[in-house]
Amino acid sequence: MPAALAYLHAAKTLPVDMDVKIEESWKNLLKDEFSKPYFEQIVLHLKTERAQQKTIYPPGALIFNAFNTTPVDQVKVVILGQDPYHGPGQAQGLCFSVQDGVPPPPSLVNIFKELKEDIGINIPRHGNLTHWAQQGVFLLNASLTVRAGEPMSHAKIGWATFTDTVIKRISDTRPHLVFMLWGKFAQEKAVLIDQNKHLILKAAHPSPLSAHNGFLGCRHFSKANAWLMSQGIDPVDWQL
């Protein structure tokens, strides 16, 4: 089986046998999705591209990294990205995060700038956000894969159906979450979130093209922690 499908196994004629290797609490929450035709099509699409020798990011074992690092009952904060980084060695299955040894991309640099301005944390020398994910920051991309060098290349293969379901399920089943929606794309997902029990924070995207239009100065990190503490939930240690 191709590497990018190491965590996806399906028989074309027997979709009910599909076995997605994902953390158990997420598997229980989403198990009905994995046997639906749209999810089978995602798997077949990835398998076809791999057969055509196309490179897909992130590596197969990291496609569900956000889920495997942050179990359902540990989620406190949800940050939504669009799709994985499309350069070699960057994507690791956590939105905005890059693997060790890879320079932080411009959007992440602006996230770090806002973090320093907001709560005084020094800008880290790396861009690996795994520490956040381990504390309950669910770093979800709307598309979980991308073709090398082609941003948004997997935006229409079915991932949006899956991740929209993820957002709605955690909104419905978990209490008192913080959703950080940066940019128009992320803010359109607000319709999936129960605003009566969750805090929704909206700002411009941290991209250099838009960060000065409301992302820098948004103070989302301190606002998130204040909300969590007001609900009796431990705050996030944003230090990396």
Side-chain angles (χ1 to χ4, degrees):
M1 182 174 290
L5 296 179
Y7 273 37
L8 298 168
H9 173 63
K12 183 175 181 180
T13 57
L14 295 171
V16 293
D17 289 344
M18 190 176 298
D19 181 24
V20 177
K21 303 301 183 184
I22 190 172
E23 191 274 333
E24 195 66 23
S25 65
W26 286 107
K27 191 167 190 174
N28 291 334
L29 186 68
L30 302 165
K31 57 187 175 183
D32 57 320
E33 296 301 301
F34 301 133
S35 60
K36 290 182 178 179
Y38 85 85
F39 199 88
E40 182 186 7
Q41 288 303 309
I42 294 173
V43 175
L44 293 174
H45 188 101
L46 296 177
K47 186 174 182 179
T48 298
E49 289 200 358
R50 290 291 300 183
Q52 296 170 346
Q53 305 300 310
K54 296 184 185 298
T55 299
I56 296 172
Y57 296 129
L62 295 178
I63 290 175
F64 293 110
N65 192 23
F67 300 83
N68 294 331
T69 309
T70 313
V72 174
D73 64 354
Q74 294 181 20
V75 176
K76 299 177 181 180
V77 177
V78 180
I79 299 179
L80 184 65
Q82 206 157 353
D83 71 335
Y85 295 120
H86 55 272
Q90 291 182 306
Q92 63 171 170
L94 306 174
C95 74
F96 293 106
S97 181
V98 290
Q99 300 189 55
D100 288 328
V102 177
S107 291
L108 186 53
V109 170
N110 282 331
I111 290 171
F112 289 157
K113 286 179 179 178
E114 174 57 24
L115 195 60
K116 186 176 190 299
E117 190 67 26
D118 185 8
I119 55 179
I121 289 177
N122 289 330
I123 294 176
R125 296 181 179 179
H126 65 87
N128 188 336
L129 305 182
T130 298
H131 179 61
W132 292 2
Q134 291 169 338
Q135 292 184 81
V137 182
F138 186 45
L139 298 167
L140 178 68
N141 275 316
S143 296
L144 299 188
T145 59
V146 68
R147 274 196 308 275
E150 299 181 47
M152 302 301 294
S153 49
H154 288 174
K156 296 182 179 180
I157 71 170
W159 280 127
T161 302
F162 178 70
T163 53
D164 281 359
T165 300
V166 171
I167 295 167
K168 190 170 191 314
R169 293 272 171 91
I170 56 175
S171 170
D172 291 346
T173 60
R174 291 296 318 282
H176 313 311
L177 302 180
V178 179
F179 289 83
M180 296 184 181
L181 306 181
W182 299 335
K184 181 180 177 182
F185 175 86
Q187 289 168 20
E188 289 174 348
K189 305 297 183 180
V191 297
L192 303 169
I193 302 165
D194 184 346
Q195 301 186 38
N196 293 316
K197 66 175 182 176
H198 303 299
L199 176 65
I200 298 178
L201 299 174
K202 298 181 180 180
H205 194 277
S207 162
L209 299 175
S210 57
H212 291 280
N213 294 327
F215 177 78
L216 296 175
C218 70
R219 301 184 63 82
H220 279 188
F221 303 101
S222 59
K223 289 177 180 177
N225 277 352
W227 162 265
L228 292 172
M229 288 187 289
S230 76
Q231 304 299 323
I233 301 169
D234 289 338
V236 176
D237 175 11
W238 296 104
Q239 181 78 51
L240 291 171

